[in-house]
Amino acid sequence: MEGKIFIMLNRVSPLSISENVPPALAQSKPLAAYASIQLKDGAIHIAELSSGQLTMHSVPLEQQEPEAALLQWLKQQSQERDLQFIAVAFREHEQLKDLTSRLWLQEDIVPYRIRPQDDEYRETLEDLVQDIASRFDENNIVYPRLDETHEVNVAELVTLADYQKTATQEDFALLTSLAAAFKGKRLVFLSATPRGGGVALMRHALIRLLHLLEVDARWYVLLPKQEAFDVTKTKFHNVLQAVVPPAVELTLADKAIYETWAHENAVAMEDVLQPADVIVIDDPQPSGLIPYIKQNNPTTKIIYRSHIQIEADLANKPDTPQYTTWSFLWNYIKDADYFISHPIKEFIPECVPAEKIFYMPATTDPLDGLNKPLTAQQMSIYMQRFNDLLLQEGQTPLDEQRSYIIQVARFDPSKGIPDVLEAYRKLRCMLEEEQKPLPQLVITGNSSIDDPDGIRVHNALMCTLQTELYADFSDDIKVMRLPHRDQILDTLMSKCAIALQLSIKEGFEVKVTEALMKGKPIIASKIGGIPLQIDDDLTGYLVDSGNTKQVAQYMYDLLTDRGKYERMSKAAAERANKDYMTVPNALCWLYLALQLLYGEKLEGHSQWVKALAEEHAPQLVEAIRNKDDSRAA
């Protein structure tokens, strides 16, 4: 099964949900606990913190292997005392070398490996467990960790061997050779926020893997400023996607707000950006820093990564809001060495020189909280968390004895949420006519600090549910802006019957990839990069945006034809594209960085970076190795 770990993840039969979660488990509401451990004098010493109470434990090892003994103790305590261990910190030790990934992948516990030189090192286990617990909020969700330079400290969750299992042998070998060739250089990513949205998810996974490869990779985020985010979300993002009225246009005042913010960030980050050999600018928000980077270090190579769908035909037309916004941004972006886009020609304005354009897809991580396999008991806990959140907002819980359909996306004007509602209403009418069981609908997603649209779109949706069209069955529609506990989304997607992605504008939607990885048939719009992700009528269905009648028919077919459902589910899991995972993503970034630093500047002309790397990276790595050998001699 090498290279196939991401296949068949969390496959749960949606047509017989009650078979997968024992009722007793579904009612469990365990108490959150934290622990710190140390091996000493033939025993595991443990400080446990739960409900504000600190308790010390000692587990004699005798002939037991330490990792197995600790995992057994954690399971025993969880079962006997109804605990859920959220995080465990442990002092680095040779006998605990595999504990990181075993805690995360097997026990669903956030691991913290503490080394003597780390800032987190504490003299006592009591101090250490208190420190670890302080990193989580009242909902036991970890705070994004930034240092004083606004570098994002990425969690160490798994091992390099774990990532090797998710990739082909060829891709992993190429990645490791590129990482070795990059030694002595620094790669920096610069984006808007440390959490919320696909860019942040990709960066957490990418930096985690690069650190395991001992690559000097850093990720910095901009200083948060609400008035700047209002401009970048509404006047940049939404205007470029054409999901706002034509009257919404970038003004001189907006430009001044953005320029001031860009200057503030350039001053604050000058010392950390100056040493970088290659800097990746993620989306428009940090693009204003490009001139400052060039001024402070002219030899730094800069790659601009465009993650959103740009309505290029409108951006090309003078006197449109899109033209105004793009012209303003292009004044910064034009100085980047390369322009990386989703593989869609229509996303790229005509002013971008063809030789600068390269294609890369968005990716997802098979080992993070959104995708790792969870046990039935673990999923039961997260389903209970979801239902608790629904109850807190005055909604009825999701009935786990009934199937449900889900769309996971930000609450954003581009995500087609009105079409989701209308397709679901039509589906219910079809099923009611034949007196067939009615599924529920879940509309959910996370928030982002640079997204002022989320609350507005959510509130508009809740008002819609009170209208005459939906009032009679609004209790069957669950709407939730979720806190950032990825395993809740992992659970919801794993247990759903059908996934939807009815975006009206879209770049390259990783939620489509994640649904396929879990063996979920998905019905999605023929928008942006989505058609590249779905094999129509094989792994899912592609529909014209707004065709809610067709969406309803496809949902009806899947819910009423078990054979068709099982065939499509199997194909979805088996054909989930391995190139849309973290290892190929890291491979592509290292190849681009090395090529800029050591090779002749490439002519892009919309070539896929992965294909270029497969063809040319071995020769590039050999040339770098020969150059290093001659320099050493």
Side-chain angles (χ1 to χ4, degrees):
M1 292 295 289
E2 182 177 1
K4 298 293 185 182
I5 193 172
F6 49 84
I7 298 302
M8 310 290 278
L9 291 181
N10 291 349
R11 287 196 67 193
V12 176
S13 173
L15 304 181
S16 54
I17 288 177
S18 60
E19 298 172 4
N20 297 284
V21 182
L25 288 179
Q27 297 171 7
S28 177
K29 297 175 67 173
L31 185 68
Y34 297 84
S36 60
I37 73 163
Q38 182 178 16
L39 287 184
K40 187 178 180 182
D41 301 328
I44 305 173
H45 301 276
I46 305 166
E48 176 218 320
L49 183 65
S50 57
S51 293
Q53 298 295 314
L54 185 63
T55 309
M56 300 301 296
H57 307 270
S58 181
V59 180
L61 283 177
E62 299 174 350
Q63 300 301 315
Q64 269 191 300
E65 183 262 327
E67 289 184 3
L70 174 64
L71 297 179
Q72 180 181 342
W73 183 87
L74 290 168
K75 286 182 179 179
Q76 181 180 358
Q77 295 296 309
S78 298
Q79 293 169 0
E80 293 180 358
R81 298 167 54 205
D82 200 19
L83 299 177
Q84 182 188 14
F85 282 93
I86 305 299
V88 170
F90 60 98
R91 305 276 175 81
E92 188 174 42
H93 194 285
E94 175 61 28
Q95 290 181 282
L96 301 176
K97 63 181 186 301
D98 295 325
L99 185 57
T100 297
S101 62
R102 293 179 75 175
L103 284 170
W104 176 246
L105 295 178
Q106 295 179 27
E107 307 304 324
D108 189 39
I109 297 172
V110 179
Y112 286 92
R113 181 194 301 270
I114 308 299
R115 300 167 178 85
Q117 68 272 21
D118 291 344
D119 293 338
E120 297 88 349
Y121 190 85
R122 298 291 183 272
E123 289 297 327
T124 68
L125 290 179
E126 295 92 332
D127 288 341
L128 179 56
V129 73
Q130 294 278 6
D131 177 61
I132 294 302
S134 71
R135 303 179 188 192
F136 293 75
D137 66 16
E138 66 277 5
N139 295 312
N140 301 301
I141 298 170
V142 68
Y143 295 108
R145 298 192 65 219
L146 308 178
D147 67 13
E148 65 278 2
T149 67
H150 266 236
E151 181 177 359
V152 183
N153 295 314
V154 173
E156 181 183 352
L157 299 176
V158 294
T159 66
L160 192 59
D162 293 319
Y163 271 113
Q164 185 173 6
K165 295 173 186 175
T166 72
T168 65
Q169 183 177 353
E170 294 78 12
D171 279 359
F172 194 78
L174 186 55
L175 173 63
T176 54
S177 68
L178 288 166
F182 198 76
K183 186 177 181 180
K185 300 297 182 181
R186 177 173 295 180
L187 174 61
V188 165
F189 292 84
L190 188 57
S191 63
T193 63
R195 186 165 69 185
V199 175
L201 287 168
M202 282 191 286
R203 293 295 163 259
H204 276 283
L206 175 64
I207 298 298
R208 178 162 42 249
L209 174 56
L210 292 178
H211 284 177
L212 291 171
L213 290 160
E214 299 183 349
V215 171
D216 185 358
R218 316 289 180 95
W219 172 28
Y220 299 94
V221 294
L222 302 173
L223 305 172
K225 191 173 186 178
Q226 192 55 52
E227 63 175 343
F229 288 153
D230 289 341
V231 172
T232 59
K233 183 59 169 68
T234 305
K235 304 295 183 72
F236 289 3
H237 187 283
N238 291 354
V239 164
L240 290 175
Q241 286 196 320
V243 292
V244 289
V248 177
E249 188 164 4
L250 189 68
T251 66
L252 290 175
D254 297 328
K255 293 177 182 179
I257 290 171
Y258 178 73
E259 288 167 343
T260 299
W261 184 52
H263 180 260
E264 291 169 353
N265 278 281
V267 171
M269 296 185 178
E270 180 177 353
D271 290 342
V272 296
L273 296 180
Q274 200 277 337
D277 296 288
V278 179
I279 296 177
V280 176
I281 302 293
D282 278 316
D283 269 345
Q285 297 95 322
S287 63
L289 277 73
I290 294 176
Y292 297 102
I293 296 169
K294 286 289 188 182
Q295 179 181 340
N296 293 330
N297 187 357
T299 63
T300 299
K301 306 300 182 182
I302 298 177
I303 302 173
Y304 180 80
R305 185 15 164 150
S306 179
H307 293 273
I308 65 172
Q309 175 178 355
I310 298 172
E311 285 291 334
D313 58 337
L314 295 175
N316 296 334
K317 294 180 181 178
D319 301 324
T320 65
Q322 290 73 28
Y323 183 87
T324 300
T325 290
W326 183 251
S327 297
F328 174 71
L329 292 171
W330 179 244
N331 190 49
Y332 301 116
I333 297 168
K334 62 180 174 60
D335 291 327
D337 295 281
Y338 290 154
F339 185 99
I340 312 300
S341 171
H342 295 311
I344 308 294
K345 180 181 179 181
E346 291 76 16
F347 287 6
I348 306 170
E350 61 186 11
C351 63
V352 183
E355 62 270 17
K356 286 191 175 188
I357 299 169
F358 297 85
Y359 283 165
M360 281 175 61
T363 56
T364 192
D365 190 74
L367 303 177
D368 68 9
L370 289 167
N371 296 302
K372 67 175 182 175
L374 297 171
T375 66
Q377 183 171 7
Q378 289 164 354
M379 286 194 284
S380 175
I381 291 171
Y382 290 115
M383 187 61 80
Q384 184 63 51
R385 298 280 188 248
F386 180 67
N387 280 331
D388 287 345
L389 291 168
L390 289 173
L391 288 169
Q392 289 171 20
E393 293 204 357
Q395 300 183 55
T396 57
L398 186 67
D399 184 350
E400 296 184 60
Q401 306 305 309
R402 297 169 56 200
S403 63
Y404 63 90
I405 297 155
I406 193 168
Q407 173 159 307
V408 178
R410 286 181 295 109
F411 286 83
D412 186 278
S414 68
K415 298 301 181 180
I417 294 174
D419 288 346
V420 173
L421 284 181
E422 179 60 12
Y424 176 67
R425 186 187 68 81
K426 290 174 178 174
L427 169 67
R428 288 182 68 99
C429 291
M430 297 169 67
L431 293 170
E432 284 174 340
E433 285 182 5
E434 300 184 14
Q435 297 183 328
K436 293 183 181 295
L438 300 174
Q440 301 160 98
L441 174 66
V442 175
I443 301 174
T444 190
N446 294 134
S447 60
S448 174
I449 65 170
D450 70 331
D451 184 3
D453 284 325
I455 294 175
R456 178 179 61 80
V457 173
H458 172 274
N459 292 345
L461 172 57
M462 298 307 291
C463 289
T464 300
L465 293 182
Q466 298 173 23
T467 62
E468 185 177 350
L469 270 180
Y470 301 101
D472 288 346
F473 54 89
S474 60
D475 280 351
D476 269 357
I477 303 174
K478 316 301 176 184
V479 179
M480 179 58 58
R481 291 184 80 218
L482 283 171
H484 289 270
R485 194 70 174 272
D486 290 343
Q487 292 94 318
I488 298 178
L489 285 177
D490 191 352
T491 296
L492 289 170
M493 188 75 85
S494 297
K495 293 167 70 69
C496 76
I498 300 167
L500 301 177
Q501 195 63 55
L502 302 187
S503 304
I504 59 174
K505 306 287 180 180
E506 194 59 78
F508 199 99
E509 181 49 73
V510 295
K511 295 303 171 193
V512 171
T513 300
E514 290 166 4
L516 296 173
M517 287 165 63
K518 293 174 171 60
K520 301 300 173 181
I522 184 162
I523 304 167
S525 304
K526 296 177 186 176
I527 294 295
I530 291 177
L532 296 174
Q533 299 173 263
I534 297 173
D535 293 317
D536 193 22
D537 204 28
L538 180 61
T539 63
Y541 293 109
L542 293 167
V543 297
D544 292 327
S545 181
N547 191 346
T548 56
K549 182 179 179 180
Q550 185 65 73
V551 174
Q553 183 63 55
Y554 284 146
M555 289 192 291
Y556 175 88
D557 294 343
L558 287 168
L559 290 171
T560 58
D561 187 335
R562 180 179 287 270
K564 175 179 287 189
Y565 184 95
E566 293 297 336
R567 288 191 299 273
M568 190 166 280
S569 173
K570 184 174 184 291
E574 290 176 347
R575 297 173 69 90
N577 195 317
K578 63 182 181 296
D579 284 345
Y580 302 160
M581 310 294 170
T582 303
V583 166
N585 187 242
L587 184 161
C588 288
W589 284 119
L590 286 178
Y591 170 69
L592 285 176
L594 285 168
Q595 199 283 323
L596 276 171
L597 292 172
Y598 292 101
E600 294 293 328
K601 195 168 184 178
L602 287 174
E603 295 279 321
H605 297 285
S606 302
Q607 297 182 83
W608 285 67
V609 177
K610 176 75 184 316
L612 286 170
E614 290 171 340
E615 182 176 358
H616 300 296
Q619 299 93 312
L620 176 62
V621 168
E622 183 65 25
I624 295 170
R625 187 181 296 120
N626 292 337
K627 185 180 295 185
D628 290 342
D629 289 344
S630 63
R631 189 181 295 120

